[in-house]
Amino acid sequence: RAKADGRGVARFFDPSMQDAADRRAAFEAAMRDGLSLGQFRLFCQPQFDCHGNLTGGEVLVRWQRGAELLGPDHFIGFAEESGLILPLGEHVLKESCRALARWDGDAMLGHLKLAVNVSVHQMRDPEFPERVARILDVTGAPPGRLYLELTESVFAEDMQEITRRMFELRARGICFALDDFGTGYSSLAYLQRFPLSALKIDRSFVRNLGIDPGSASIVEAIIALARKFELEIVAEGVELEAQRSFLTHGGCSSLQGFLLGRPVPMAEFEHAYSAAGVGHA
Ligand code: C2E
Ligand code: MG
Ligand code: MG
Ligand code: MG
């Protein structure tokens, strides 16, 4: 039992710290097991153009831990700290590319884009472009339908390295979207410097449309900016008809949100939107 008879000693034996360390170790072990047991499942949320046509989906990972279905907010941060984000990210990319390959040729799904969230930790990996290329080769996924979503946290990185990796991937046909736009470190210079195809307006601005006039101004400014840079603009978190109407009339190119469709398991997404139920594997 810890006594305060020396700072280091007291800290070392602090039972609450030991508990925390044990909990972290147990969580890490559980995540590793989960990865090898296939407990990380891909959900997909549909995206639509301003006329209401389905244009694609965003992959959102969930952890099926027994009966419990955990959302990414419960484990992505930990995965990033522990390094498990690399195998997890690889799994998500591989499964996403398998889906794209499966959709290829389907009358309904064949033209859809699939957006995959990529952590800055993955972008830091010098091997990342090679890994993606390998996954595309192995799965046979059409690279032009793969969107990688990065958050503005990449702007805090070694810009030369990140930019080089992005161009390498772009050269293979992969597109990039900047996620949660407007909430982070954005410098407008980066919009020009990065090979970006889309901006995603953060949910917090969409949520406040019609409530806080400032958010409407921000959304309008982001749309104007995206137009200048010839970027597609995706609004996320669309929950209300009034938001959809504002965004559509404002010139937003795609919409995503509970109003239009919730994230559902990949098989369900395929079943819901395929021409004849893509004989889901
Ligand atoms: P994100 O990429 O910004 O994803 C959008 C989040 O907004 C998702 O939360 C989605 O379920 C939620 N959402 C969509 N429409 C609405 C709406 O109308 N209302 C509300 N209230 N929420 C909506 P989710 O699935 O919990 O994911 C949270 C975050 O976790 C994602 O934010 C993304 O940053 C991260 N994430 C998810 N999957 C992955 C992954 O495979 N890899 C990495 N690195 N991060 C991931
Ligand atoms: Mg995203
Ligand atoms: Mg987002
Ligand atoms: Mg987010």
Side-chain angles (χ1 to χ4, degrees), residues 77-102:
F78 183 85
E80 290 181 328
E81 288 166 31
S82 62
L84 287 171
I85 193 69
L86 295 181
L88 176 60
E90 178 105 358
H91 166 71
V92 170
L93 261 171
K94 198 173 284 170
E95 289 304 315
S96 300
C97 286
R98 284 205 181 114
L100 274 177
R102 233 175 7 245

mmCIF file with all atom_site columns, all heavy atoms in Angstrom, residues 77-102:
data_model
loop_
_atom_site.group_PDB
_atom_site.id
_atom_site.type_symbol
_atom_site.label_atom_id
_atom_site.label_alt_id
_atom_site.label_comp_id
_atom_site.label_asym_id
_atom_site.label_entity_id
_atom_site.label_seq_id
_atom_site.pdbx_PDB_ins_code
_atom_site.Cartn_x
_atom_site.Cartn_y
_atom_site.Cartn_z
_atom_site.occupancy
_atom_site.B_iso_or_equiv
_atom_site.pdbx_formal_charge
_atom_site.auth_seq_id
_atom_site.auth_comp_id
_atom_site.auth_asym_id
_atom_site.auth_atom_id
_atom_site.pdbx_PDB_model_num
ATOM 1   N N   . GLY A 1 77  ? -9.547  7.178  -29.957 1.00 0.00 ? 77  GLY A N   1
ATOM 2   C CA  . GLY A 1 77  ? -8.515  7.922  -29.214 1.00 0.00 ? 77  GLY A CA  1
ATOM 3   C C   . GLY A 1 77  ? -7.506  6.974  -28.598 1.00 0.00 ? 77  GLY A C   1
ATOM 4   O O   . GLY A 1 77  ? -6.291  7.172  -28.722 1.00 0.00 ? 77  GLY A O   1
ATOM 5   N N   . PHE A 1 78  ? -8.002  5.925  -27.990 1.00 0.00 ? 78  PHE A N   1
ATOM 6   C CA  . PHE A 1 78  ? -7.117  4.939  -27.379 1.00 0.00 ? 78  PHE A CA  1
ATOM 7   C C   . PHE A 1 78  ? -6.281  4.229  -28.449 1.00 0.00 ? 78  PHE A C   1
ATOM 8   O O   . PHE A 1 78  ? -5.087  4.002  -28.273 1.00 0.00 ? 78  PHE A O   1
ATOM 9   C CB  . PHE A 1 78  ? -7.924  3.923  -26.571 1.00 0.00 ? 78  PHE A CB  1
ATOM 10  C CG  . PHE A 1 78  ? -7.049  2.933  -25.869 1.00 0.00 ? 78  PHE A CG  1
ATOM 11  C CD1 . PHE A 1 78  ? -6.499  3.223  -24.630 1.00 0.00 ? 78  PHE A CD1 1
ATOM 12  C CD2 . PHE A 1 78  ? -6.725  1.724  -26.472 1.00 0.00 ? 78  PHE A CD2 1
ATOM 13  C CE1 . PHE A 1 78  ? -5.652  2.329  -24.004 1.00 0.00 ? 78  PHE A CE1 1
ATOM 14  C CE2 . PHE A 1 78  ? -5.884  0.824  -25.857 1.00 0.00 ? 78  PHE A CE2 1
ATOM 15  C CZ  . PHE A 1 78  ? -5.350  1.119  -24.610 1.00 0.00 ? 78  PHE A CZ  1
ATOM 16  N N   . ALA A 1 79  ? -6.920  3.907  -29.538 1.00 0.00 ? 79  ALA A N   1
ATOM 17  C CA  . ALA A 1 79  ? -6.194  3.233  -30.630 1.00 0.00 ? 79  ALA A CA  1
ATOM 18  C C   . ALA A 1 79  ? -5.057  4.119  -31.135 1.00 0.00 ? 79  ALA A C   1
ATOM 19  O O   . ALA A 1 79  ? -3.974  3.630  -31.461 1.00 0.00 ? 79  ALA A O   1
ATOM 20  C CB  . ALA A 1 79  ? -7.151  2.891  -31.771 1.00 0.00 ? 79  ALA A CB  1
ATOM 21  N N   . GLU A 1 80  ? -5.296  5.426  -31.168 1.00 0.00 ? 80  GLU A N   1
ATOM 22  C CA  . GLU A 1 80  ? -4.253  6.346  -31.630 1.00 0.00 ? 80  GLU A CA  1
ATOM 23  C C   . GLU A 1 80  ? -3.102  6.399  -30.633 1.00 0.00 ? 80  GLU A C   1
ATOM 24  O O   . GLU A 1 80  ? -1.939  6.373  -31.012 1.00 0.00 ? 80  GLU A O   1
ATOM 25  C CB  . GLU A 1 80  ? -4.844  7.732  -31.893 1.00 0.00 ? 80  GLU A CB  1
ATOM 26  C CG  . GLU A 1 80  ? -5.751  7.713  -33.128 1.00 0.00 ? 80  GLU A CG  1
ATOM 27  C CD  . GLU A 1 80  ? -6.363  9.051  -33.484 1.00 0.00 ? 80  GLU A CD  1
ATOM 28  O OE1 . GLU A 1 80  ? -6.640  9.858  -32.563 1.00 0.00 ? 80  GLU A OE1 1
ATOM 29  O OE2 . GLU A 1 80  ? -6.590  9.290  -34.696 1.00 0.00 ? 80  GLU A OE2 1
ATOM 30  N N   . GLU A 1 81  ? -3.412  6.446  -29.346 1.00 0.00 ? 81  GLU A N   1
ATOM 31  C CA  . GLU A 1 81  ? -2.357  6.502  -28.321 1.00 0.00 ? 81  GLU A CA  1
ATOM 32  C C   . GLU A 1 81  ? -1.541  5.223  -28.295 1.00 0.00 ? 81  GLU A C   1
ATOM 33  O O   . GLU A 1 81  ? -0.345  5.251  -28.038 1.00 0.00 ? 81  GLU A O   1
ATOM 34  C CB  . GLU A 1 81  ? -2.960  6.691  -26.929 1.00 0.00 ? 81  GLU A CB  1
ATOM 35  C CG  . GLU A 1 81  ? -3.537  8.060  -26.673 1.00 0.00 ? 81  GLU A CG  1
ATOM 36  C CD  . GLU A 1 81  ? -4.400  8.038  -25.416 1.00 0.00 ? 81  GLU A CD  1
ATOM 37  O OE1 . GLU A 1 81  ? -4.097  7.247  -24.489 1.00 0.00 ? 81  GLU A OE1 1
ATOM 38  O OE2 . GLU A 1 81  ? -5.376  8.813  -25.370 1.00 0.00 ? 81  GLU A OE2 1
ATOM 39  N N   . SER A 1 82  ? -2.200  4.093  -28.513 1.00 0.00 ? 82  SER A N   1
ATOM 40  C CA  . SER A 1 82  ? -1.528  2.806  -28.341 1.00 0.00 ? 82  SER A CA  1
ATOM 41  C C   . SER A 1 82  ? -0.868  2.302  -29.620 1.00 0.00 ? 82  SER A C   1
ATOM 42  O O   . SER A 1 82  ? -0.148  1.319  -29.591 1.00 0.00 ? 82  SER A O   1
ATOM 43  C CB  . SER A 1 82  ? -2.546  1.762  -27.878 1.00 0.00 ? 82  SER A CB  1
ATOM 44  O OG  . SER A 1 82  ? -3.534  1.606  -28.875 1.00 0.00 ? 82  SER A OG  1
ATOM 45  N N   . GLY A 1 83  ? -1.153  2.947  -30.735 1.00 0.00 ? 83  GLY A N   1
ATOM 46  C CA  . GLY A 1 83  ? -0.598  2.472  -32.003 1.00 0.00 ? 83  GLY A CA  1
ATOM 47  C C   . GLY A 1 83  ? -1.506  1.471  -32.710 1.00 0.00 ? 83  GLY A C   1
ATOM 48  O O   . GLY A 1 83  ? -1.270  1.109  -33.867 1.00 0.00 ? 83  GLY A O   1
ATOM 49  N N   . LEU A 1 84  ? -2.566  1.036  -32.020 1.00 0.00 ? 84  LEU A N   1
ATOM 50  C CA  . LEU A 1 84  ? -3.472  0.066  -32.644 1.00 0.00 ? 84  LEU A CA  1
ATOM 51  C C   . LEU A 1 84  ? -4.254  0.663  -33.811 1.00 0.00 ? 84  LEU A C   1
ATOM 52  O O   . LEU A 1 84  ? -4.878  -0.069 -34.582 1.00 0.00 ? 84  LEU A O   1
ATOM 53  C CB  . LEU A 1 84  ? -4.443  -0.508 -31.599 1.00 0.00 ? 84  LEU A CB  1
ATOM 54  C CG  . LEU A 1 84  ? -3.814  -1.499 -30.621 1.00 0.00 ? 84  LEU A CG  1
ATOM 55  C CD1 . LEU A 1 84  ? -4.785  -1.850 -29.506 1.00 0.00 ? 84  LEU A CD1 1
ATOM 56  C CD2 . LEU A 1 84  ? -3.398  -2.764 -31.369 1.00 0.00 ? 84  LEU A CD2 1
ATOM 57  N N   . ILE A 1 85  ? -4.193  1.973  -33.935 1.00 0.00 ? 85  ILE A N   1
ATOM 58  C CA  . ILE A 1 85  ? -4.895  2.604  -35.057 1.00 0.00 ? 85  ILE A CA  1
ATOM 59  C C   . ILE A 1 85  ? -4.338  2.111  -36.395 1.00 0.00 ? 85  ILE A C   1
ATOM 60  O O   . ILE A 1 85  ? -5.064  2.075  -37.391 1.00 0.00 ? 85  ILE A O   1
ATOM 61  C CB  . ILE A 1 85  ? -4.803  4.155  -34.973 1.00 0.00 ? 85  ILE A CB  1
ATOM 62  C CG1 . ILE A 1 85  ? -5.779  4.821  -35.937 1.00 0.00 ? 85  ILE A CG1 1
ATOM 63  C CG2 . ILE A 1 85  ? -3.385  4.649  -35.222 1.00 0.00 ? 85  ILE A CG2 1
ATOM 64  C CD1 . ILE A 1 85  ? -7.224  4.674  -35.595 1.00 0.00 ? 85  ILE A CD1 1
ATOM 65  N N   . LEU A 1 86  ? -3.064  1.689  -36.397 1.00 0.00 ? 86  LEU A N   1
ATOM 66  C CA  . LEU A 1 86  ? -2.496  1.232  -37.680 1.00 0.00 ? 86  LEU A CA  1
ATOM 67  C C   . LEU A 1 86  ? -3.158  -0.068 -38.151 1.00 0.00 ? 86  LEU A C   1
ATOM 68  O O   . LEU A 1 86  ? -3.686  -0.105 -39.260 1.00 0.00 ? 86  LEU A O   1
ATOM 69  C CB  . LEU A 1 86  ? -0.970  1.138  -37.615 1.00 0.00 ? 86  LEU A CB  1
ATOM 70  C CG  . LEU A 1 86  ? -0.259  2.491  -37.412 1.00 0.00 ? 86  LEU A CG  1
ATOM 71  C CD1 . LEU A 1 86  ? 1.253   2.317  -37.394 1.00 0.00 ? 86  LEU A CD1 1
ATOM 72  C CD2 . LEU A 1 86  ? -0.633  3.498  -38.501 1.00 0.00 ? 86  LEU A CD2 1
ATOM 73  N N   . PRO A 1 87  ? -3.162  -1.133 -37.323 1.00 0.00 ? 87  PRO A N   1
ATOM 74  C CA  . PRO A 1 87  ? -3.888  -2.327 -37.783 1.00 0.00 ? 87  PRO A CA  1
ATOM 75  C C   . PRO A 1 87  ? -5.396  -2.090 -37.926 1.00 0.00 ? 87  PRO A C   1
ATOM 76  O O   . PRO A 1 87  ? -6.021  -2.628 -38.856 1.00 0.00 ? 87  PRO A O   1
ATOM 77  C CB  . PRO A 1 87  ? -3.595  -3.384 -36.709 1.00 0.00 ? 87  PRO A CB  1
ATOM 78  C CG  . PRO A 1 87  ? -3.040  -2.651 -35.531 1.00 0.00 ? 87  PRO A CG  1
ATOM 79  C CD  . PRO A 1 87  ? -2.417  -1.390 -36.070 1.00 0.00 ? 87  PRO A CD  1
ATOM 80  N N   . LEU A 1 88  ? -5.967  -1.275 -37.057 1.00 0.00 ? 88  LEU A N   1
ATOM 81  C CA  . LEU A 1 88  ? -7.405  -1.010 -37.179 1.00 0.00 ? 88  LEU A CA  1
ATOM 82  C C   . LEU A 1 88  ? -7.703  -0.273 -38.486 1.00 0.00 ? 88  LEU A C   1
ATOM 83  O O   . LEU A 1 88  ? -8.631  -0.631 -39.224 1.00 0.00 ? 88  LEU A O   1
ATOM 84  C CB  . LEU A 1 88  ? -7.895  -0.188 -35.971 1.00 0.00 ? 88  LEU A CB  1
ATOM 85  C CG  . LEU A 1 88  ? -9.363  0.246  -36.009 1.00 0.00 ? 88  LEU A CG  1
ATOM 86  C CD1 . LEU A 1 88  ? -10.300 -0.955 -36.079 1.00 0.00 ? 88  LEU A CD1 1
ATOM 87  C CD2 . LEU A 1 88  ? -9.712  1.118  -34.802 1.00 0.00 ? 88  LEU A CD2 1
ATOM 88  N N   . GLY A 1 89  ? -6.892  0.743  -38.768 1.00 0.00 ? 89  GLY A N   1
ATOM 89  C CA  . GLY A 1 89  ? -7.076  1.518  -39.998 1.00 0.00 ? 89  GLY A CA  1
ATOM 90  C C   . GLY A 1 89  ? -6.904  0.647  -41.235 1.00 0.00 ? 89  GLY A C   1
ATOM 91  O O   . GLY A 1 89  ? -7.629  0.783  -42.222 1.00 0.00 ? 89  GLY A O   1
ATOM 92  N N   . GLU A 1 90  ? -5.951  -0.268 -41.161 1.00 0.00 ? 90  GLU A N   1
ATOM 93  C CA  . GLU A 1 90  ? -5.698  -1.191 -42.271 1.00 0.00 ? 90  GLU A CA  1
ATOM 94  C C   . GLU A 1 90  ? -6.924  -2.092 -42.500 1.00 0.00 ? 90  GLU A C   1
ATOM 95  O O   . GLU A 1 90  ? -7.347  -2.318 -43.633 1.00 0.00 ? 90  GLU A O   1
ATOM 96  C CB  . GLU A 1 90  ? -4.449  -2.032 -41.929 1.00 0.00 ? 90  GLU A CB  1
ATOM 97  C CG  . GLU A 1 90  ? -4.072  -3.061 -42.951 1.00 0.00 ? 90  GLU A CG  1
ATOM 98  C CD  . GLU A 1 90  ? -2.856  -2.664 -43.792 1.00 0.00 ? 90  GLU A CD  1
ATOM 99  O OE1 . GLU A 1 90  ? -2.321  -1.542 -43.607 1.00 0.00 ? 90  GLU A OE1 1
ATOM 100 O OE2 . GLU A 1 90  ? -2.461  -3.467 -44.642 1.00 0.00 ? 90  GLU A OE2 1
ATOM 101 N N   . HIS A 1 91  ? -7.476  -2.576 -41.402 1.00 0.00 ? 91  HIS A N   1
ATOM 102 C CA  . HIS A 1 91  ? -8.673  -3.422 -41.480 1.00 0.00 ? 91  HIS A CA  1
ATOM 103 C C   . HIS A 1 91  ? -9.834  -2.659 -42.130 1.00 0.00 ? 91  HIS A C   1
ATOM 104 O O   . HIS A 1 91  ? -10.522 -3.180 -43.020 1.00 0.00 ? 91  HIS A O   1
ATOM 105 C CB  . HIS A 1 91  ? -9.046  -3.886 -40.061 1.00 0.00 ? 91  HIS A CB  1
ATOM 106 C CG  . HIS A 1 91  ? -10.413 -4.487 -39.939 1.00 0.00 ? 91  HIS A CG  1
ATOM 107 N ND1 . HIS A 1 91  ? -10.730 -5.732 -40.458 1.00 0.00 ? 91  HIS A ND1 1
ATOM 108 C CD2 . HIS A 1 91  ? -11.553 -4.010 -39.377 1.00 0.00 ? 91  HIS A CD2 1
ATOM 109 C CE1 . HIS A 1 91  ? -12.011 -5.988 -40.200 1.00 0.00 ? 91  HIS A CE1 1
ATOM 110 N NE2 . HIS A 1 91  ? -12.534 -4.958 -39.554 1.00 0.00 ? 91  HIS A NE2 1
ATOM 111 N N   . VAL A 1 92  ? -10.039 -1.436 -41.684 1.00 0.00 ? 92  VAL A N   1
ATOM 112 C CA  . VAL A 1 92  ? -11.150 -0.633 -42.211 1.00 0.00 ? 92  VAL A CA  1
ATOM 113 C C   . VAL A 1 92  ? -10.949 -0.372 -43.707 1.00 0.00 ? 92  VAL A C   1
ATOM 114 O O   . VAL A 1 92  ? -11.881 -0.505 -44.507 1.00 0.00 ? 92  VAL A O   1
ATOM 115 C CB  . VAL A 1 92  ? -11.299 0.685  -41.418 1.00 0.00 ? 92  VAL A CB  1
ATOM 116 C CG1 . VAL A 1 92  ? -12.277 1.631  -42.104 1.00 0.00 ? 92  VAL A CG1 1
ATOM 117 C CG2 . VAL A 1 92  ? -11.744 0.411  -39.982 1.00 0.00 ? 92  VAL A CG2 1
ATOM 118 N N   . LEU A 1 93  ? -9.719  -0.046 -44.068 1.00 0.00 ? 93  LEU A N   1
ATOM 119 C CA  . LEU A 1 93  ? -9.449  0.218  -45.486 1.00 0.00 ? 93  LEU A CA  1
ATOM 120 C C   . LEU A 1 93  ? -9.652  -1.029 -46.338 1.00 0.00 ? 93  LEU A C   1
ATOM 121 O O   . LEU A 1 93  ? -10.228 -0.960 -47.431 1.00 0.00 ? 93  LEU A O   1
ATOM 122 C CB  . LEU A 1 93  ? -8.006  0.686  -45.649 1.00 0.00 ? 93  LEU A CB  1
ATOM 123 C CG  . LEU A 1 93  ? -7.803  2.187  -45.771 1.00 0.00 ? 93  LEU A CG  1
ATOM 124 C CD1 . LEU A 1 93  ? -6.319  2.530  -45.702 1.00 0.00 ? 93  LEU A CD1 1
ATOM 125 C CD2 . LEU A 1 93  ? -8.407  2.716  -47.078 1.00 0.00 ? 93  LEU A CD2 1
ATOM 126 N N   . LYS A 1 94  ? -9.180  -2.141 -45.818 1.00 0.00 ? 94  LYS A N   1
ATOM 127 C CA  . LYS A 1 94  ? -9.286  -3.377 -46.599 1.00 0.00 ? 94  LYS A CA  1
ATOM 128 C C   . LYS A 1 94  ? -10.749 -3.755 -46.807 1.00 0.00 ? 94  LYS A C   1
ATOM 129 O O   . LYS A 1 94  ? -11.181 -4.067 -47.914 1.00 0.00 ? 94  LYS A O   1
ATOM 130 C CB  . LYS A 1 94  ? -8.526  -4.505 -45.887 1.00 0.00 ? 94  LYS A CB  1
ATOM 131 C CG  . LYS A 1 94  ? -8.216  -5.671 -46.780 1.00 0.00 ? 94  LYS A CG  1
ATOM 132 C CD  . LYS A 1 94  ? -7.315  -6.694 -46.104 1.00 0.00 ? 94  LYS A CD  1
ATOM 133 C CE  . LYS A 1 94  ? -5.857  -6.240 -46.033 1.00 0.00 ? 94  LYS A CE  1
ATOM 134 N NZ  . LYS A 1 94  ? -5.017  -7.114 -45.185 1.00 0.00 ? 94  LYS A NZ  1
ATOM 135 N N   . GLU A 1 95  ? -11.523 -3.699 -45.714 1.00 0.00 ? 95  GLU A N   1
ATOM 136 C CA  . GLU A 1 95  ? -12.943 -4.051 -45.824 1.00 0.00 ? 95  GLU A CA  1
ATOM 137 C C   . GLU A 1 95  ? -13.684 -3.058 -46.727 1.00 0.00 ? 95  GLU A C   1
ATOM 138 O O   . GLU A 1 95  ? -14.605 -3.438 -47.456 1.00 0.00 ? 95  GLU A O   1
ATOM 139 C CB  . GLU A 1 95  ? -13.595 -4.102 -44.441 1.00 0.00 ? 95  GLU A CB  1
ATOM 140 C CG  . GLU A 1 95  ? -13.150 -5.290 -43.594 1.00 0.00 ? 95  GLU A CG  1
ATOM 141 C CD  . GLU A 1 95  ? -13.378 -6.630 -44.295 1.00 0.00 ? 95  GLU A CD  1
ATOM 142 O OE1 . GLU A 1 95  ? -14.467 -6.823 -44.861 1.00 0.00 ? 95  GLU A OE1 1
ATOM 143 O OE2 . GLU A 1 95  ? -12.456 -7.477 -44.286 1.00 0.00 ? 95  GLU A OE2 1
ATOM 144 N N   . SER A 1 96  ? -13.304 -1.801 -46.659 1.00 0.00 ? 96  SER A N   1
ATOM 145 C CA  . SER A 1 96  ? -13.948 -0.790 -47.504 1.00 0.00 ? 96  SER A CA  1
ATOM 146 C C   . SER A 1 96  ? -13.653 -1.062 -48.965 1.00 0.00 ? 96  SER A C   1
ATOM 147 O O   . SER A 1 96  ? -14.535 -0.958 -49.826 1.00 0.00 ? 96  SER A O   1
ATOM 148 C CB  . SER A 1 96  ? -13.451 0.609  -47.130 1.00 0.00 ? 96  SER A CB  1
ATOM 149 O OG  . SER A 1 96  ? -13.741 0.894  -45.776 1.00 0.00 ? 96  SER A OG  1
ATOM 150 N N   . CYS A 1 97  ? -12.394 -1.406 -49.247 1.00 0.00 ? 97  CYS A N   1
ATOM 151 C CA  . CYS A 1 97  ? -12.030 -1.690 -50.635 1.00 0.00 ? 97  CYS A CA  1
ATOM 152 C C   . CYS A 1 97  ? -12.691 -2.971 -51.125 1.00 0.00 ? 97  CYS A C   1
ATOM 153 O O   . CYS A 1 97  ? -13.068 -3.070 -52.296 1.00 0.00 ? 97  CYS A O   1
ATOM 154 C CB  . CYS A 1 97  ? -10.509 -1.748 -50.780 1.00 0.00 ? 97  CYS A CB  1
ATOM 155 S SG  . CYS A 1 97  ? -9.763  -0.103 -50.695 1.00 0.00 ? 97  CYS A SG  1
ATOM 156 N N   . ARG A 1 98  ? -12.872 -3.927 -50.223 1.00 0.00 ? 98  ARG A N   1
ATOM 157 C CA  . ARG A 1 98  ? -13.615 -5.131 -50.611 1.00 0.00 ? 98  ARG A CA  1
ATOM 158 C C   . ARG A 1 98  ? -15.035 -4.752 -51.019 1.00 0.00 ? 98  ARG A C   1
ATOM 159 O O   . ARG A 1 98  ? -15.580 -5.294 -51.981 1.00 0.00 ? 98  ARG A O   1
ATOM 160 C CB  . ARG A 1 98  ? -13.693 -6.122 -49.453 1.00 0.00 ? 98  ARG A CB  1
ATOM 161 C CG  . ARG A 1 98  ? -12.415 -6.863 -49.242 1.00 0.00 ? 98  ARG A CG  1
ATOM 162 C CD  . ARG A 1 98  ? -12.677 -8.208 -48.542 1.00 0.00 ? 98  ARG A CD  1
ATOM 163 N NE  . ARG A 1 98  ? -11.386 -8.853 -48.352 1.00 0.00 ? 98  ARG A NE  1
ATOM 164 C CZ  . ARG A 1 98  ? -10.827 -9.080 -47.162 1.00 0.00 ? 98  ARG A CZ  1
ATOM 165 N NH1 . ARG A 1 98  ? -11.464 -8.785 -46.050 1.00 0.00 ? 98  ARG A NH1 1
ATOM 166 N NH2 . ARG A 1 98  ? -9.645  -9.629 -47.084 1.00 0.00 ? 98  ARG A NH2 1
ATOM 167 N N   . ALA A 1 99  ? -15.627 -3.837 -50.263 1.00 0.00 ? 99  ALA A N   1
ATOM 168 C CA  . ALA A 1 99  ? -16.991 -3.406 -50.590 1.00 0.00 ? 99  ALA A CA  1
ATOM 169 C C   . ALA A 1 99  ? -17.002 -2.737 -51.963 1.00 0.00 ? 99  ALA A C   1
ATOM 170 O O   . ALA A 1 99  ? -17.832 -3.064 -52.817 1.00 0.00 ? 99  ALA A O   1
ATOM 171 C CB  . ALA A 1 99  ? -17.526 -2.471 -49.517 1.00 0.00 ? 99  ALA A CB  1
ATOM 172 N N   . LEU A 1 100 ? -16.068 -1.824 -52.196 1.00 0.00 ? 100 LEU A N   1
ATOM 173 C CA  . LEU A 1 100 ? -16.014 -1.138 -53.496 1.00 0.00 ? 100 LEU A CA  1
ATOM 174 C C   . LEU A 1 100 ? -15.859 -2.136 -54.640 1.00 0.00 ? 100 LEU A C   1
ATOM 175 O O   . LEU A 1 100 ? -16.475 -1.981 -55.697 1.00 0.00 ? 100 LEU A O   1
ATOM 176 C CB  . LEU A 1 100 ? -14.850 -0.143 -53.521 1.00 0.00 ? 100 LEU A CB  1
ATOM 177 C CG  . LEU A 1 100 ? -15.121 1.253  -52.974 1.00 0.00 ? 100 LEU A CG  1
ATOM 178 C CD1 . LEU A 1 100 ? -13.840 2.085  -53.002 1.00 0.00 ? 100 LEU A CD1 1
ATOM 179 C CD2 . LEU A 1 100 ? -16.220 1.958  -53.773 1.00 0.00 ? 100 LEU A CD2 1
ATOM 180 N N   . ALA A 1 101 ? -15.038 -3.147 -54.418 1.00 0.00 ? 101 ALA A N   1
ATOM 181 C CA  . ALA A 1 101 ? -14.822 -4.151 -55.466 1.00 0.00 ? 101 ALA A CA  1
ATOM 182 C C   . ALA A 1 101 ? -16.104 -4.944 -55.711 1.00 0.00 ? 101 ALA A C   1
ATOM 183 O O   . ALA A 1 101 ? -16.466 -5.255 -56.845 1.00 0.00 ? 101 ALA A O   1
ATOM 184 C CB  . ALA A 1 101 ? -13.677 -5.081 -55.075 1.00 0.00 ? 101 ALA A CB  1
ATOM 185 N N   . ARG A 1 102 ? -16.830 -5.255 -54.619 1.00 0.00 ? 102 ARG A N   1
ATOM 186 C CA  . ARG A 1 102 ? -18.089 -5.982 -54.723 1.00 0.00 ? 102 ARG A CA  1
ATOM 187 C C   . ARG A 1 102 ? -19.129 -5.176 -55.488 1.00 0.00 ? 102 ARG A C   1
ATOM 188 O O   . ARG A 1 102 ? -19.930 -5.713 -56.238 1.00 0.00 ? 102 ARG A O   1
ATOM 189 C CB  . ARG A 1 102 ? -18.613 -6.198 -53.301 1.00 0.00 ? 102 ARG A CB  1
ATOM 190 C CG  . ARG A 1 102 ? -18.938 -7.587 -52.958 1.00 0.00 ? 102 ARG A CG  1
ATOM 191 C CD  . ARG A 1 102 ? -19.353 -7.851 -51.534 1.00 0.00 ? 102 ARG A CD  1
ATOM 192 N NE  . ARG A 1 102 ? -19.580 -6.815 -50.586 1.00 0.00 ? 102 ARG A NE  1
ATOM 193 C CZ  . ARG A 1 102 ? -18.849 -6.621 -49.478 1.00 0.00 ? 102 ARG A CZ  1
ATOM 194 N NH1 . ARG A 1 102 ? -17.807 -7.380 -49.224 1.00 0.00 ? 102 ARG A NH1 1
ATOM 195 N NH2 . ARG A 1 102 ? -19.155 -5.669 -48.637 1.00 0.00 ? 102 ARG A NH2 1
#
